[in-house]
């Protein structure tokens, strides 16, 4: 088993890098805070005898040799970047849980057959550079490296430039080595495990998700002199679309969600009728056919809204991550590991995207979930129990060892 | 009469300071661009033999002596600051039209009885520091100087610090001298004069206006894992309030307007259900009783929306500028001046706030409007005809001379 105390100490220690007054973490990808936590990660893994490298997308790999150097590694991983107002656990539990596994192997001197590799993926959150899971996407061949390097944040800074600026643009091409299996430990980020009193979620897949960017074009005009009937108010049209996104999600059953998370109003002055609004839409459902139906429904409503309001519309689908079904053998390893400890568990589909969703395209993959308080995530108050996190790392350890002898 | 060509040249020349690619002007108050246009203004007035000073709020005064130094000045003025995406005329026509008047007096060597003073008011737009007409408000005793100096922009920069930084925090206390009369030339910023083929609007008053600031507090949560029914989405509640503002304006007759111009969404990340939204509301009507009724109607709707959505609300009225009725004698001077030229004209109530609205509290005051294309203002495409602008300056000149001998 892993050292749960050391794992919890690691969580609290890294939470200081970008720690917020409200007890959360603000550690956007490729910022100074990200650089600091990467250095911490490299030092911690090196201390356990691992070789630490990073590739051309800045993904960090800590490798512990196995008996047979010709075998591809069994990998674990997640991410250390956070949302602007993120918590101490999302992603972090997966990386530091993997570190706890390496520590357990190191302490016992256990020799695995495969090399064991722990990965810290760049830009999982998609908060600074859209879309999410960008660097694992490049690793898995979903995006080309060039398109990823050319992504810009909302200030127009290129991903490639930000990566170089923190010193993590490596020489090794992203995706250069095969992987025997990939396991990712994560908090559930939803309410189900806690509500049902389960310690472990055996993750069978990830729901489908699509992101859109919209620009509405009206006409800047004076708030005091422009009669209501002569306005082309882009924010009013955006308000109606925000309501429509919610209505579409509610109309497609209890598993459908729809969100407007990002919105920029222009020129954003109190006495100017807004002439332009840029915003994002996020649609999700476990069934890809329902995601497609949601999109069709929403597009029809949006057309109606902008036509009625006399507002110009540009709308692009900027991300499409179809539903993922994880590898049965990996799932079996996680189930066997969970049963060996007797942890209360259930099967679960992930509502959030994860690097595992892309790794599943190039390697046998699955995930292990542990509960988080109230299902709250992407919030500074995100919280999880030390015992649950240690249990998740224990399952990760035994699942990896199970896959190693498979 | 004034030199219309010189006036138009001045308009084009100042429009280069903060000029935008789309032909508009971005010259937010107390920025480097504002400093440059102030220097231009001081130099231009000095060249006409005027003494140029500025007071503790940064208001600039260009004074041409009269025969009787004991008399208070007859004043003209407006502002040279603009909206973030503003035009070349809003405010500017009033200052440069006043400059054209000074130039005509200088060229002819005409001696007035009163000193004549041209004023460039600080922060009329209210785009950077709310509310609008802040510095004329201090001059008129509506706000204390201290509360004005302590206002902050959306980046938290203090008005007083920004004023000192551009070198315009003068020694003379704002509002230290009495004024015999105040005349302000301005584009209408609305569609009426153009639609009716009138050159001059004889402004009888300004409508009532109120500004509000709202903060909605929901709960940041994950866009993929938080069921629609478990969300506290501050942006969705804001969307409903934006719709309600429009509905309230439409419900209170054709002269009522309501606008949400400024909105900040937090944390503003694509995959986070927004936990906090800050936004402004602007309500206006020529009749103060209707403004009050609009506020009551809107407050009731907002209460309902936030209660239904389980969202926290902070709402403050941050500005209340009641309807203004201008001075009959000044209006008579403008009417006589207009008639003397035979310009087609009509009486009009201003939909926009102006420094004249506050000056009316401490001096006999009125305004002169000229048409602008399509009634469009607070827009980079704002436009006016050289002939109309010159006509307005001619009326300003004769109205000032009429008041001088009254
Ligand atoms: N795990 C996680 O929060 N990933 C971010 C990608 C998404 O699901 O929006
Ligand atoms: N004239 C003008 O646009 N003033 C700004 C104040 C307002 O009316 O909102």
């Amino acid at each position: 088993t892993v050292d749960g105390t050391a794992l919890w100490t690691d969580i609290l220690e890294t939470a200081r890098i970008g720690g917020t007054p409200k007890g959360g973490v603000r550690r956007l990808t490729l910022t100074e805070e990200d650089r600091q936590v990467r250095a911490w990660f490299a030092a911690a893994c090196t201390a356990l005898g691992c070789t630490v490298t990073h590739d051309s997308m800045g993904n960090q790999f800590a490798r512990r040799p196995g008996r047979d150097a010709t075998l591809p590694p069994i990998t674990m991983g997640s991410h250390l970047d956070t949302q602007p107002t993120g918590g101490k656990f999302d992603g972090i539990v997966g990386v530091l849980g993997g570190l706890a596994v390496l520590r357990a192997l190191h302490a016992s001197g256990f020799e695995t057959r495969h090399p064991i590799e722990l990965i810290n993926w760049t830009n999982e959150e998609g908060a600074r550079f859209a879309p999410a899971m960008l660097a694992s996407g490049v690793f898995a061949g979903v995006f080309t490296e060039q398109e990823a390097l050319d992504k810009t944040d909302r200030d127009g800074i290129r991903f490639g430039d930000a990566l170089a600026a923190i010193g993590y643009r490596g020489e090794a091409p992203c995706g250069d080595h095969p992987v025997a299996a990939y396991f990712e430990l994560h908090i559930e980020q939803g309410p189900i495990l806690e509500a049902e009193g389960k310690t472990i979620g055996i993750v069978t897949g990830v729901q489908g998700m699509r992101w859109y960017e919209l620009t509405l074009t009206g006409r800047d005009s004076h708030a005091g002199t422009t009669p209501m009937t002569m306005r082309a108010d882009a924010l009013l049209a955006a308000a109606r679309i925000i309501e429509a996104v919610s209505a579409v999600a509610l109309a497609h059953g209890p598993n459908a969600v729809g969100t407007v998370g990002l919105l920029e109003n222009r020129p954003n002055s109190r006495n100017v009728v807004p002439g332009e609004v840029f915003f994002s839409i996020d649609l999700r459902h476990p069934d890809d056919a329902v995601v497609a139906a949601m999109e069709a429904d929403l597009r029809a409503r949006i057309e109606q809204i902008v036509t009625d309001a006399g507002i110009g519309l540009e709308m692009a689908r900027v991300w499409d991550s179809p539903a993922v079904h994880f590898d049965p053998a990996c799932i079996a390893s996680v189930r066997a590991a969970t049963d060996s400890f007797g942890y209360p568990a259930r099967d679960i589909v992930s509502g959030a995207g994860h690097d595992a969703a892309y790794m599943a395209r190039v390697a046998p993959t699955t995930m292990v979930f542990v509960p988080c308080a109230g299902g709250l995530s992407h919030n500074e108050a995100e919280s999880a129990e030390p015992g649950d996190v240690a249990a998740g790392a224990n399952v990760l350890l035994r699942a990896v060892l199970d896959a190693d002898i498979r």
Side-chain angles (χ1 to χ4, degrees), chain A:
Chain A
T1 60
V2 304
D3 180 344
T5 307
L7 170 52
W8 195 253
T9 303
D10 287 348
I11 290 172
L12 297 185
E13 197 172 323
T14 56
R16 293 212 298 258
I17 305 174
T20 66
K22 286 189 186 162
V25 179
R26 179 185 175 86
R27 199 161 60 215
L28 292 163
T29 194
L30 307 187
T31 57
E32 167 58 19
E33 290 76 25
D34 187 17
R35 192 195 62 73
Q36 285 177 30
V37 82
R38 285 163 178 269
W40 184 97
F41 172 77
C45 295
T46 306
L48 298 175
C50 297
T51 313
V52 183
T53 58
H54 57 269
D55 68 14
S56 56
M57 286 290 292
N59 300 311
Q60 291 181 288
F61 301 85
R63 183 184 279 238
R64 182 174 192 270
R67 274 197 306 278
D68 185 346
T70 66
L71 289 177
I74 303 217
T75 61
M76 310 171 285
S78 197
H79 59 96
L80 295 174
D81 69 324
T82 77
Q83 290 288 330
T85 51
K88 291 191 278 286
F89 301 93
D90 172 3
I92 297 150
V93 157
V95 177
L96 302 186
L99 184 67
V101 168
L102 293 177
R103 190 179 287 124
L105 297 175
H106 185 69
S108 65
F110 190 89
E111 270 214 320
T112 53
R113 202 157 67 90
H114 294 74
I116 306 292
E117 202 170 71
L118 173 61
I119 311 175
N120 171 30
W121 298 106
T122 301
N123 190 49
E124 192 275 346
E125 291 290 357
R128 181 170 176 200
F129 299 97
M133 299 125 62
L134 186 64
S136 52
V138 173
F139 191 94
V142 179
F143 313 114
T144 66
E145 181 172 312
Q146 197 54 51
E147 66 184 314
L149 294 174
D150 287 339
K151 299 280 181 199
T152 53
D153 68 11
R154 299 305 305 155
D155 296 325
I157 300 173
R158 275 182 76 247
F159 179 98
D161 295 339
L163 181 61
I166 66 158
Y168 273 91
R169 173 114 167 95
E171 309 250 300
C174 180
D176 64 350
H177 64 286
V179 159
Y182 178 75
F183 293 92
E184 182 168 351
L185 171 64
H186 210 284
I187 55 167
E188 178 198 344
Q189 307 185 278
I192 299 169
L193 295 179
E194 184 188 56
E196 299 188 2
K198 308 293 191 194
T199 304
I200 298 294
I202 299 165
V203 190
T204 57
V206 180
Q207 69 177 343
M209 51 196 78
R210 293 182 183 181
W211 281 7
Y212 308 85
E213 291 184 1
L214 290 85
T215 303
L216 301 182
T217 308
R219 190 172 55 248
D220 293 1
S221 63
H222 197 294
T225 58
T226 315
M228 298 306 288
T229 51
M230 286 178 61
R231 297 181 173 207
D233 185 337
L235 185 59
L236 181 58
R240 289 174 183 161
I241 295 174
I242 292 166
E243 184 70 75
V245 168
S246 171
V248 163
L250 288 167
H252 285 82
N255 293 323
V257 287
T259 308
V260 175
L262 173 76
L263 185 143
E264 293 170 7
N265 181 51
R266 298 172 190 150
N268 219 28
S269 180
R270 293 164 203 251
N271 42 6
V272 184
V273 177
E276 189 174 288
V277 177
F278 172 87
F279 62 106
S280 67
I281 297 175
D282 174 314
L283 297 182
R284 306 192 189 197
H285 193 278
D287 179 347
D288 288 331
V290 179
V291 177
M294 290 168 72
E295 175 177 320
D297 182 356
L298 183 61
R299 281 189 188 270
R301 295 185 197 223
I302 290 174
E303 279 303 334
Q304 191 66 50
I305 289 166
V306 296
T307 304
D308 291 353
I311 294 288
L313 168 70
E314 270 180 61
M315 176 168 174
R317 191 204 293 156
V318 295
W319 191 37
D320 183 1
S321 183
V324 175
H325 303 281
F326 285 141
D327 177 66
C330 287
I331 294 173
S333 294
V334 168
R335 197 183 306 283
T338 304
D339 290 348
S340 75
F341 288 107
Y343 294 135
R346 62 161 278 166
D347 286 9
I348 192 166
V349 171
S350 176
H354 296 286
D355 296 304
Y358 282 151
M359 285 304 285
R361 299 195 182 202
V362 290
T365 292
T366 195
M367 297 185 71
V368 180
F369 275 0
V370 290
C372 59
L376 197 62
S377 187
H378 289 189
N379 187 307
E380 291 167 279
E382 184 183 80
S383 141
E385 291 300 318
D388 292 339
V389 172
N394 281 333
V395 170
L396 181 65
L397 169 63
R398 291 219 186 150
V400 163
L401 295 181
D402 189 65
D404 185 50
I405 55 171
R406 212 164 48 207

